[in-house]
Amino acid sequence: FRRMVDGVRRAECMMGSPEKRPHAAEREAAARLHRRLAARRDLGVGEALTAEDIVLLRFPEGTDGMAPDAYWSVLGRKVIHPMARHAPITETNLQAN
């Protein structure tokens, strides 16, 4: 019986806590990195942005790029400068509304 209880306790330790919290390294990265809209794939001039073309990525503080709350305003806008995959989306890369 003792071995079974020890085994259950080991399994509980391996499962960890049901409470999910960011690790210290994740908290440090989140403080230094900011989410920005980015190109999910290479985009050519004249392409209209769709939901499939946009991804949120973390970039170092100070990187040009549009914040996540600009998502709806960029949908349908056309690219005026080629954009590489994972490049931040900026106003200068898009046709004016």
Side-chain angles (χ1 to χ4, degrees):
F1 180 74
R2 178 76 183 154
R3 284 189 353 221
M4 181 185 72
V5 171
D6 289 342
V8 169
R9 297 295 174 244
R10 268 195 315 275
E12 289 173 340
C13 286
M14 292 185 328
M15 289 174 54
S17 169
E19 183 180 325
K20 300 296 179 197
R21 292 177 283 156
H23 189 271
E26 293 171 314
R27 285 192 302 271
E28 290 171 18
R32 290 188 324 269
L33 303 173
H34 299 278
R35 289 179 192 245
R36 296 287 179 248
L37 299 178
R40 186 183 301 261
R41 60 181 181 86
D42 291 342
L43 297 169
V45 173
E47 291 189 63
L49 288 177
T50 67
E52 290 78 28
D53 297 327
I54 301 169
V55 65
L56 278 176
L57 297 177
R58 290 190 185 272
F59 290 97
E61 187 175 6
T63 300
D64 286 340
M66 300 176 81
D69 60 359
Y71 175 81
W72 295 105
S73 70
V74 301
L75 287 177
R77 289 178 65 185
K78 291 188 178 180
V79 175
I80 59 172
H81 299 289
M83 295 177 60
R85 179 177 185 240
H86 294 163
I89 297 173
T90 64
E91 283 290 340
T92 58
N93 290 333
L94 303 177
Q95 190 175 47
N97 280 342

